[in-house]
Amino acid sequence: MEKSTTEHRVAHEALGVVLQVRDEELQTLLWLRAREPFLDAWSLPGGWLGPDETLEDSIRRHLAAKVDVRELSHLEQIETLSDPGRYPGERLVATAYIGLIPAGTDPQVPADTIWHPVDDLPELAFDHLAVVLAGRERLRAKLSYTNIGFALAPPAFTIAELRRLYRAALGHDVSATNLQRVLLRRRLLEPIGELRPPGRAGGRPAAVYRFRTRNLEVTDQFAVLRPPGRSLK
């Protein structure tokens, strides 16, 4: 077979969908582009893959410029985008990651970078809207069959506090009784032997829990935390 004399150079970038529950909403980190294409448009943090980097090393380097990567409680690859037209005038492949930050932390970010609710995003550059939504769906799916809730939660919490985090991430309400039953049945939570005083509304003190491990584990092959009205098949 005759070898082509035309070289096709393909660049590669890493993108990060950084998610955190803030003010009881699932939010993502976006930065304002300072150059063309899409000058002054919001986009995901990320950048070029270096010649001596792995993809994970690359996304951690780029995220370090936008958010303290030590705050990340979980990082995983979600998809690779290779549409030839995704970047104007250049062949650019992107590998996207989801990065989670636990509630209760407030990492410093530069002035050009702002948290945005995933349900109320501005217009995004390139194909970044689809990437954000893919990251949200990956998180929602894993909340049903893994212990990934540890990456959204602070080190210690009540069931009511955890319920608010799940509700924000899932996009629908979750019964506190059902959530506690599911997570305890799977042995994902353990009490730490403390009680949280009741709030202004009164009631009994609430038990304080933590996740048994803060490493990702598959806990059940069946998704049980589905939106209301959807049955298991």
Side-chain angles (χ1 to χ4, degrees):
M1 182 181 293
E2 187 176 327
K3 190 174 183 179
S4 172
T5 58
T6 304
E7 283 193 25
H8 297 280
R9 297 188 180 275
V10 179
H12 205 133
E13 67 174 347
L15 297 173
V17 182
V18 181
L19 298 172
Q20 184 184 28
V21 176
R22 303 171 64 87
D23 300 323
E24 300 197 8
E25 291 183 295
L26 187 67
Q27 301 195 24
T28 193
L29 205 60
L30 301 175
W31 73 281
L32 197 63
R33 290 182 59 80
R35 59 182 181 272
E36 295 288 359
F38 292 101
L39 174 67
D40 293 332
W42 291 101
S43 64
L44 290 170
W48 305 104
L49 174 67
D52 300 317
E53 288 181 317
T54 66
L55 281 164
E56 184 169 329
D57 288 340
S58 180
I59 191 58
R60 287 186 179 276
R61 173 174 62 86
H62 289 298
L63 288 181
K66 298 298 180 185
V67 62
D68 189 344
V69 292
R70 291 173 298 181
E71 300 282 3
L72 289 176
S73 51
H74 180 70
L75 180 71
E76 72 172 75
Q77 190 177 130
I78 53 173
E79 64 177 333
T80 295
L81 303 108
S82 58
D83 187 323
R86 64 174 302 272
Y87 193 95
E90 188 170 351
R91 185 76 166 95
L92 181 61
V93 173
T95 298
Y97 284 78
I98 180 175
L100 304 180
I101 295 179
T105 62
D106 191 20
Q108 291 187 338
V109 297
D112 64 354
T113 306
I114 296 177
W115 292 98
H116 292 260
V118 176
D119 288 336
D120 187 24
L121 292 172
E123 186 174 348
L124 300 188
F126 310 108
D127 48 9
H128 291 191
L129 174 60
V131 179
V132 173
L133 298 182
R136 181 185 66 182
E137 293 311 304
R138 172 68 64 89
L139 172 61
R140 286 179 172 178
K142 285 203 162 183
L143 282 169
S144 286
Y145 67 88
T146 77
N147 66 335
I148 203 170
F150 77 85
L152 297 176
F157 46 81
T158 65
I159 294 298
E161 292 165 347
L162 188 64
R163 175 195 181 192
R164 289 195 289 271
L165 296 177
Y166 270 73
R167 179 171 56 199
L170 289 167
H172 63 83
D173 203 3
V174 179
S175 160
T177 300
N178 186 46
L179 181 67
Q180 183 173 9
R181 176 179 58 82
V182 168
L183 298 184
L184 289 178
R185 185 187 67 203
R186 295 180 181 177
R187 298 196 303 168
L188 301 189
L189 304 182
E190 58 186 13
I192 66 172
E194 295 181 7
L195 294 177
R196 192 75 52 83
R200 293 181 178 179
R204 295 182 298 177
V208 179
Y209 293 86
R210 66 186 174 197
F211 276 88
R212 181 180 53 81
T213 178
R214 298 189 75 83
N215 296 311
L216 186 67
E217 294 180 350
V218 175
T219 58
D220 198 318
Q221 62 179 321
F222 298 108
V224 297
L225 298 175
R226 294 177 177 271
R230 294 189 186 179
S231 60
L232 290 175
K233 295 183 180 180

